Structure formats: C-alpha cells, structure tokens
Amino acid sequence: MSTASFGTQPSSGASGSFGTQPGSGASGSFGTQPGSGASGSFGTQPGSGSSASPRTGRGTRPRFGFGLVGPRRDRHSVPLEQLDALALPVGDDGMVIGVDAENRPAVLGINRPVPYDVTLIGGLWTAQVLALRAAATGARVAVETGRAQAWTALAQAAGGGQPCIALHDVGRVPPQGASAGSPVVVVRDCGMRPPRGRVVSAPWQSVVTLLPYLSPVAPRLLEKSSLVGIQRVSPDEAAQIGRIMGLPRHEYEALSTLADGVTLWCTQNDRQFVMTQATDAETGLLGGARRMD
C-alpha cells in the first residue's frame, strides 16, 4: 500500500478494515416466478344464473378470488462461474476512522459480541474523534480520565444534550451494563502508566486505552490488544514498537515521519496506514488534527 499522500514511506500492509469480516453476498432469490394475474373474475358469468364454474379454454378452472393465472416465464438462473458477478458492494459495519492511501473508507467495528481491547499510542485529538464517532453508532461512551477539563466540552456537545458520553475519575468507572441493545465503549485516558481498570472489556463493551508515548506498560497492553494504533513517535520508540509488533523495517521507520492525524492500525493479520479526517462539526469542536496537546 502506498502511503505517499500521508508523508510516509510505502507500506506493504494489507488494505481493508481492522478485525472485522467483510460481507458482500447478494440476498436476491433466483427461483421465483413473477405473478401478474388480473383481478376481477370470481368464476361466475353475469346473468347466467348458474352456480357452476365453466372451464376456461385451456382446460383449467379459474382460481376463485384470485383472478386468472398469469403468464408463465422461464426461471431465472445463471451459470455457476458467473455468480461472482452478482456480488453487491457492501462493506463492513462500524465507524469510519479515516481513509487509506487510496482514499477508501477505513471502517472499525467497535461494538462486538466479544471482548475487544484497543490501544492507541497517539494524541488526544484522535482519541476524542473516535469517542465521538463511537457515540454516533449508538454506543454509550464512558471516559476514564485524569484531565476532565480536556473532555468536558466534548461530553457536553455530544448527543445533542443526551448523556451519551460520561466522564469519570481514574479508577471510578462504575459497571456499565453493556448489552447488544446498549453497547459501551470505555476510553481510558489515564496517562503514561494507566492503572488496571475496574471495568474491563466484555461482550458489547470495548476498551480503548490512550498512551501519549511508549511507556513501560506499553508492551503488556500491545500484546493483549486486539487492535493497536500507532501515531508519530521518536525513532527509538519506533524501533521498539517494531520489535514488539513484528513490523517490517520500512514500516516502523515510517512511524517517526507520520503526519498529524495519520495512524498505523495493526491487528494480528493486517496493517494499514489511515488518515483521520475530521468533519466540519468535529473541527469546530476539537480543532484541527494534531499529535501533541
């Protein structure tokens, strides 16, 4: 994948979304017969006084209450080798976290029926955009933070007055009661050494941990995370991350040159550089993309 438009070296990461399964199957049916029977006849002839139902010219009785039998057509069928042509361009579900180097949407399914941990080594701006977009998918967002003043405006503006983003002190997040009908995303903004959280990932409850830089607890978090996001870091940090994540040299060397708003998202099988582009509403609330706060 080329990342020239992001100011990085070319990446060989596989394109696609992160930890989600794309669905593209067509749901059409090919064995039905279209009906076009006319309504109006009920099997009697006006003025005949007879209750018998005369046969039609084709030797079949009229269907009482359903009109005449419509025209017959051949069944719809396609050769097996042409089935791929019927595929619908349906992408993954979730929230759009940005675009790839070819300007295609990158989608993250954050609401899952299994525990899902995300670690982001990056800036507050990106974490806040993710929180807003998670709330837009219908999830309740609980922010555990030691700098509530940085989140207050966002929490007040989100949801049009509805309490969809709640702020909590570090270590004070109550049980959220997540369910399929009410998924939860917990955002942990607890500094370089976040303590072990009281509320952990669970079915329909994902946890996003924000680290401003690579810290001593980072290797443990990276190893247990289902998804890892890495923004611009120092060359030394990039080399460490490359060893932990098993990144090719040209990819981890590019981490020290990333532009603001660009993130390398990694799963066990895929890697992709993504640029997060704010909407007008997000820019008005959070300002432009930035790595440092």
Side-chain angles (χ1 to χ4, degrees), residues 215-242:
S215 71
V217 302
R220 172 178 61 85
L221 291 174
L222 298 183
E223 289 172 0
K224 81 182 189 83
S225 293
S226 304
L227 176 68
V228 174
I230 308 157
Q231 297 191 296
R232 187 173 64 247
V233 293
S234 69
D236 289 342
E237 290 175 310
Q240 279 187 269
I241 293 172

Short mmCIF file of all heavy atoms in Angstrom, two decimals, residues 215-242:
data_model
loop_
_atom_site.label_atom_id
_atom_site.label_comp_id
_atom_site.label_asym_id
_atom_site.label_seq_id
_atom_site.Cartn_x
_atom_site.Cartn_y
_atom_site.Cartn_z
N SER A 215 5.43 3.61 26.88
CA SER A 215 5.72 3.62 28.30
C SER A 215 6.08 2.21 28.76
O SER A 215 5.93 1.25 28.00
CB SER A 215 4.52 4.14 29.09
OG SER A 215 3.47 3.19 29.08
N PRO A 216 6.54 2.05 30.01
CA PRO A 216 6.87 0.71 30.48
C PRO A 216 5.71 -0.27 30.44
O PRO A 216 5.94 -1.49 30.36
CB PRO A 216 7.35 0.96 31.92
CG PRO A 216 7.87 2.36 31.91
CD PRO A 216 6.97 3.10 30.95
N VAL A 217 4.48 0.22 30.52
CA VAL A 217 3.34 -0.69 30.50
C VAL A 217 2.89 -0.99 29.07
O VAL A 217 2.02 -1.83 28.86
CB VAL A 217 2.15 -0.13 31.31
CG1 VAL A 217 2.57 0.13 32.74
CG2 VAL A 217 1.59 1.13 30.66
N ALA A 218 3.46 -0.28 28.09
CA ALA A 218 3.01 -0.44 26.70
C ALA A 218 3.16 -1.86 26.17
O ALA A 218 2.24 -2.38 25.52
CB ALA A 218 3.73 0.55 25.80
N PRO A 219 4.29 -2.54 26.38
CA PRO A 219 4.39 -3.90 25.82
C PRO A 219 3.27 -4.82 26.28
O PRO A 219 2.73 -5.59 25.47
CB PRO A 219 5.76 -4.38 26.34
CG PRO A 219 6.55 -3.13 26.51
CD PRO A 219 5.57 -2.11 26.97
N ARG A 220 2.90 -4.76 27.56
CA ARG A 220 1.80 -5.61 28.05
C ARG A 220 0.49 -5.25 27.36
O ARG A 220 -0.26 -6.15 26.95
CB ARG A 220 1.66 -5.43 29.57
CG ARG A 220 0.44 -6.12 30.16
CD ARG A 220 0.38 -5.94 31.66
NE ARG A 220 0.30 -4.55 32.05
CZ ARG A 220 -0.85 -3.86 32.11
NH1 ARG A 220 -1.98 -4.43 31.77
NH2 ARG A 220 -0.84 -2.60 32.50
N LEU A 221 0.23 -3.97 27.19
CA LEU A 221 -1.02 -3.55 26.56
C LEU A 221 -1.05 -3.93 25.08
O LEU A 221 -2.08 -4.38 24.55
CB LEU A 221 -1.21 -2.04 26.72
CG LEU A 221 -1.49 -1.54 28.13
CD1 LEU A 221 -1.51 -0.01 28.16
CD2 LEU A 221 -2.82 -2.08 28.66
N LEU A 222 0.08 -3.76 24.40
CA LEU A 222 0.12 -4.07 22.97
C LEU A 222 -0.09 -5.56 22.73
O LEU A 222 -0.76 -5.95 21.77
CB LEU A 222 1.45 -3.63 22.37
CG LEU A 222 1.77 -2.12 22.41
CD1 LEU A 222 3.08 -1.85 21.71
CD2 LEU A 222 0.64 -1.30 21.79
N GLU A 223 0.47 -6.38 23.58
CA GLU A 223 0.37 -7.82 23.38
C GLU A 223 -1.04 -8.34 23.60
O GLU A 223 -1.46 -9.31 22.96
CB GLU A 223 1.35 -8.54 24.30
CG GLU A 223 2.81 -8.34 23.89
CD GLU A 223 3.77 -8.90 24.93
OE1 GLU A 223 3.28 -9.43 25.96
OE2 GLU A 223 5.00 -8.80 24.72
N LYS A 224 -1.81 -7.71 24.50
CA LYS A 224 -3.14 -8.23 24.79
C LYS A 224 -4.24 -7.54 23.99
O LYS A 224 -5.40 -7.95 24.05
CB LYS A 224 -3.46 -8.10 26.28
CG LYS A 224 -3.91 -6.73 26.74
CD LYS A 224 -4.15 -6.71 28.24
CE LYS A 224 -4.82 -5.42 28.70
NZ LYS A 224 -6.26 -5.41 28.54
N SER A 225 -3.87 -6.53 23.21
CA SER A 225 -4.87 -5.78 22.46
C SER A 225 -5.25 -6.49 21.17
O SER A 225 -4.41 -7.09 20.50
CB SER A 225 -4.36 -4.37 22.13
OG SER A 225 -4.21 -3.61 23.31
N SER A 226 -6.52 -6.39 20.82
CA SER A 226 -6.99 -6.91 19.53
C SER A 226 -6.62 -5.98 18.39
O SER A 226 -6.47 -6.42 17.25
CB SER A 226 -8.51 -7.09 19.57
OG SER A 226 -8.90 -7.92 20.64
N LEU A 227 -6.49 -4.69 18.70
CA LEU A 227 -6.16 -3.68 17.69
C LEU A 227 -5.23 -2.66 18.32
O LEU A 227 -5.44 -2.23 19.45
CB LEU A 227 -7.43 -2.99 17.18
CG LEU A 227 -7.24 -1.85 16.19
CD1 LEU A 227 -6.70 -2.38 14.86
CD2 LEU A 227 -8.57 -1.12 15.95
N VAL A 228 -4.17 -2.28 17.58
CA VAL A 228 -3.19 -1.31 18.05
C VAL A 228 -3.09 -0.19 17.03
O VAL A 228 -2.93 -0.44 15.83
CB VAL A 228 -1.81 -1.96 18.27
CG1 VAL A 228 -0.76 -0.91 18.62
CG2 VAL A 228 -1.90 -3.02 19.36
N GLY A 229 -3.16 1.05 17.52
CA GLY A 229 -2.96 2.22 16.67
C GLY A 229 -1.70 2.95 17.09
O GLY A 229 -1.49 3.17 18.29
N ILE A 230 -0.87 3.32 16.13
CA ILE A 230 0.40 4.00 16.43
C ILE A 230 0.49 5.25 15.59
O ILE A 230 0.42 5.19 14.35
CB ILE A 230 1.60 3.09 16.14
CG1 ILE A 230 1.43 1.73 16.83
CG2 ILE A 230 2.89 3.74 16.60
CD1 ILE A 230 2.23 0.63 16.19
N GLN A 231 0.63 6.39 16.26
CA GLN A 231 0.86 7.65 15.57
C GLN A 231 2.34 8.01 15.64
O GLN A 231 3.17 7.18 16.01
CB GLN A 231 -0.05 8.73 16.16
CG GLN A 231 -1.53 8.40 15.97
CD GLN A 231 -2.45 9.55 16.29
OE1 GLN A 231 -2.53 10.00 17.42
NE2 GLN A 231 -3.17 10.02 15.27
N ARG A 232 2.67 9.23 15.30
CA ARG A 232 4.08 9.61 15.20
C ARG A 232 4.79 9.45 16.55
O ARG A 232 4.32 9.94 17.58
CB ARG A 232 4.21 11.05 14.72
CG ARG A 232 5.65 11.47 14.43
CD ARG A 232 5.71 12.85 13.79
NE ARG A 232 5.20 13.89 14.67
CZ ARG A 232 4.08 14.59 14.43
NH1 ARG A 232 3.35 14.32 13.36
NH2 ARG A 232 3.69 15.53 15.26
N VAL A 233 5.91 8.75 16.54
CA VAL A 233 6.74 8.55 17.72
C VAL A 233 8.19 8.81 17.34
O VAL A 233 8.52 9.00 16.16
CB VAL A 233 6.58 7.11 18.28
CG1 VAL A 233 5.19 6.88 18.83
CG2 VAL A 233 6.90 6.07 17.20
N SER A 234 9.08 8.82 18.33
CA SER A 234 10.50 9.04 18.06
C SER A 234 11.10 7.81 17.36
O SER A 234 10.54 6.72 17.43
CB SER A 234 11.24 9.31 19.37
OG SER A 234 11.29 8.13 20.16
N PRO A 235 12.23 7.98 16.70
CA PRO A 235 12.85 6.82 16.04
C PRO A 235 13.15 5.67 17.01
O PRO A 235 13.00 4.50 16.65
CB PRO A 235 14.13 7.41 15.43
CG PRO A 235 13.80 8.85 15.19
CD PRO A 235 12.92 9.24 16.33
N ASP A 236 13.59 5.99 18.24
CA ASP A 236 13.87 4.93 19.20
C ASP A 236 12.58 4.19 19.58
O ASP A 236 12.57 2.96 19.68
CB ASP A 236 14.52 5.51 20.46
CG ASP A 236 15.96 5.96 20.20
OD1 ASP A 236 16.54 5.52 19.19
OD2 ASP A 236 16.48 6.76 21.01
N GLU A 237 11.52 4.95 19.82
CA GLU A 237 10.23 4.31 20.13
C GLU A 237 9.74 3.49 18.96
O GLU A 237 9.18 2.40 19.13
CB GLU A 237 9.20 5.37 20.50
CG GLU A 237 9.45 6.06 21.83
CD GLU A 237 8.45 7.17 22.09
OE1 GLU A 237 8.26 8.01 21.18
OE2 GLU A 237 7.87 7.21 23.18
N ALA A 238 9.94 4.00 17.75
CA ALA A 238 9.51 3.27 16.56
C ALA A 238 10.21 1.92 16.46
O ALA A 238 9.60 0.90 16.12
CB ALA A 238 9.77 4.11 15.31
N ALA A 239 11.52 1.89 16.76
CA ALA A 239 12.26 0.63 16.70
C ALA A 239 11.75 -0.35 17.75
O ALA A 239 11.61 -1.55 17.48
CB ALA A 239 13.75 0.90 16.89
N GLN A 240 11.44 0.15 18.96
CA GLN A 240 10.89 -0.72 20.00
C GLN A 240 9.53 -1.28 19.59
O GLN A 240 9.25 -2.48 19.76
CB GLN A 240 10.74 0.06 21.31
CG GLN A 240 12.00 0.20 22.11
CD GLN A 240 11.71 0.82 23.47
OE1 GLN A 240 11.77 2.04 23.62
NE2 GLN A 240 11.39 0.00 24.44
N ILE A 241 8.67 -0.42 19.06
CA ILE A 241 7.35 -0.87 18.62
C ILE A 241 7.48 -1.89 17.50
O ILE A 241 6.74 -2.87 17.44
CB ILE A 241 6.50 0.34 18.18
CG1 ILE A 241 6.18 1.22 19.39
CG2 ILE A 241 5.21 -0.11 17.50
CD1 ILE A 241 5.51 2.54 19.03
N GLY A 242 8.44 -1.66 16.60
CA GLY A 242 8.65 -2.61 15.52
C GLY A 242 9.00 -3.99 16.03
O GLY A 242 8.52 -5.00 15.50
#
